[in-house]
Amino acid sequence: MANPYAEIFRARGAKGFAAAGFIARLPIAMAPIGIVAMLSQARGEYWLAGAVSATFALTNAFVAPQISRLIDGRGQSVIAAPATFVSVIAFLVLIAATNQEWPVWTLFVSAFLAAAMPSMPAMVRARWTEIFRGRPQINTAFAFESVADELVYIAGASLSVGLAVALFPEAGMLASTLFLAVGMTAFLLQRSTEPAVHVSTDGPGRSAIRQRPVQIVTLALIFIGAIFATAEVSAVAITKELGQPGAATLVIGVYAAGSFVVGLVLGALNLKMPLQRQLAIAVTIIALTTVPLLFADTVALLVVAVFVSGLAVSPTFITAFGLIERRVPESMLTEGVTWVMTGIGIGMAFGAFAAGWVVDTFGPQNGFWVSVISGSAALLTVLLGQHVLGGEPSARTGSALAQPAE
């Protein structure tokens, strides 16, 4: 049986832009936690570290879709290059401001400007789509990207904190900035695989977020993102209460492990079931598997429950991005994918806050109620949106139509 992953990487230029894209997206995970690690050690004030990190994360959540919208209209190299330059310079200023103890306002301004960092996951998926649009290989490519995203979140955050602790406070952020500069440069120099600019048929200035499929998928993944953050916050709180705080790393690690394996398997399959139904099944599994988390009162039970809860994460991502590829005009593809990525980030931010409040108020075990409620809300969103998500594929300009959902 042929290896479907080997097949997608036989496409001309695929190995190059995928490798560069992986390096360039490491700052997505490294920067927010790297800012916290850097400032908490250098300034000794956790509120300041958290506030500066939140400034970067929330600003990027708003700005990234706008940059992706410009990328759709002007091209990746035209827009992403200057945006990355601004981001890299701002990160360097942030590092210098921390090291040299510049005024606090310089930290916030530099973090705000650093948020010009483009959405690499969206740009990489746009290149895969340009190569495999309307072909079964797009499912494998999106599966690979979902697994790569998980690796980034697992490895990136650990690397950033590890460098800051082992070397010096700014080490994690220096590495993150270097990865952004080198990875993005290598990615943008590969012009042969850059997607062509497609003229929008929906009128000038129209945003992808006005597309109903994008709204539905983004809202659903806001709730899914809240589940991710709740698992991390609750795992830390519960293992600490059980007197085994070091076990939190294991618990969080197995959450991604199950999803990693299932994602690879799903990407190797050519399922015929409509994507909106696949998404409904995946989100149903996520919603149902949040319930056992409420009863995991030992580390062993927590590890098992979290592992099972994470099994459907990659399938959810794969089908969600597949639906965006099929339902959104190609003139809005990069922006559409970026909105979905932004939804995950927003969900994680609110989920962490909500879970933290519940843990402080009602105890560690009750933090998982945020997961249960979020899972139910995600499922309701997807079920109510089945008709819209199962509609005809959007019209494509200059390329074959994607296969219909049904």
Side-chain angles (χ1 to χ4, degrees):
M1 181 179 176
N3 183 344
Y5 291 99
E7 184 177 350
I8 64 171
F9 282 108
R10 279 196 288 269
R12 186 175 182 181
K15 293 179 181 177
F17 77 72
F22 183 83
I23 294 172
R25 84 178 81 181
L26 281 169
I28 295 174
M30 293 184 70
I33 191 65
I35 292 172
V36 172
M38 176 176 69
L39 287 173
S40 62
Q41 290 187 83
R43 299 284 182 118
E45 297 175 294
Y46 281 93
W47 73 266
L48 177 63
V52 174
S53 179
T55 297
F56 166 76
L58 294 177
T59 304
N60 184 252
F62 174 78
V63 171
Q66 316 311 318
I67 293 175
S68 291
R69 186 176 173 186
L70 293 173
I71 288 172
D72 282 328
R74 300 290 300 277
Q76 291 184 349
S77 57
V78 173
I79 301 300
T84 301
F85 179 78
V86 171
S87 184
V88 168
I89 295 300
F91 274 132
L92 291 175
V93 172
L94 176 60
I95 293 169
T98 301
N99 182 265
Q100 298 299 312
E101 298 186 358
W102 292 354
V104 168
W105 67 265
T106 61
L107 303 175
F108 286 97
V109 171
S110 54
F112 178 84
L113 294 175
M117 184 175 73
S119 175
M120 177 51 68
M123 290 194 291
V124 174
R125 284 177 170 88
R127 294 203 180 198
W128 284 120
T129 301
E130 190 78 0
I131 297 172
F132 294 122
R133 182 178 287 114
R135 297 162 60 187
Q137 290 90 339
I138 191 67
N139 180 68
T140 303
F142 279 11
F144 171 80
E145 289 304 317
S146 294
V147 170
D149 286 337
E150 291 195 51
L151 282 176
V152 163
Y153 279 108
I154 294 170
S158 299
L159 178 61
S160 187
V161 174
L163 289 172
V165 173
L167 300 179
F168 50 91
E170 300 85 3
M173 284 304 300
L174 277 174
S176 174
T177 306
L178 180 63
F179 287 142
L180 176 62
V182 173
M184 189 68 76
T185 299
F187 181 82
L188 295 178
L189 286 176
Q190 300 178 59
R191 299 294 298 276
S192 64
T193 53
E194 182 175 341
V197 175
H198 301 281
V199 179
S200 174
T201 58
D202 286 332
R206 189 175 177 86
S207 172
I209 197 61
R210 297 180 64 181
Q211 299 278 322
R212 288 287 290 156
V214 177
Q215 294 172 357
I216 293 169
V217 174
T218 299
L219 179 59
L221 291 197
I222 286 176
F223 294 122
I224 297 297
I227 295 174
F228 299 164
T230 301
E232 296 179 358
V233 172
S234 297
V236 171
I238 291 173
T239 53
K240 182 178 180 180
E241 184 182 56
L242 293 173
Q244 303 179 60
T249 302
L250 172 62
V251 174
I252 295 172
V254 300
Y255 186 67
S259 175
F260 180 88
V261 174
V262 174
L264 287 176
V265 172
L266 182 62
L269 303 176
N270 183 20
L271 300 179
K272 301 300 183 183
M273 182 183 295
L275 281 176
Q276 76 275 7
R277 294 182 187 172
Q278 292 183 44
L279 180 63
I281 292 173
V283 175
T284 298
I285 294 172
I286 286 180
L288 291 175
T289 54
T290 58
V291 177
L293 294 169
L294 296 170
F295 306 99
D297 54 2
T298 68
V299 171
L301 287 175
L302 186 61
V303 167
V304 173
V306 167
F307 176 82
V308 173
S309 179
L311 290 176
V313 172
S314 274
T316 299
F317 281 176
I318 294 165
T319 51
F321 288 119
L323 282 165
I324 294 298
E325 186 272 328
R326 293 189 182 187
R327 300 290 167 251
V328 177
E330 59 191 26
S331 60
M332 301 178 177
L333 179 60
T334 308
E335 184 193 354
V337 172
T338 304
W339 276 114
V340 175
M341 295 295 300
T342 295
I344 298 170
I346 292 173
M348 291 182 70
F350 282 105
F353 173 79
W357 179 83
V358 172
V359 166
D360 287 339
T361 306
F362 302 103
Q365 197 68 44
N366 288 304
F368 283 120
W369 277 108
V370 178
S371 294
V372 174
I373 295 171
S374 298
S376 300
L379 178 57
L380 180 62
T381 301
V382 170
L383 292 179
L384 292 176
Q386 285 290 288
H387 177 71
V388 173
L389 296 177
E392 290 299 315
S394 297
R396 304 288 183 181
T397 304
S399 64
L401 287 176
Q403 296 175 358
E406 297 186 274

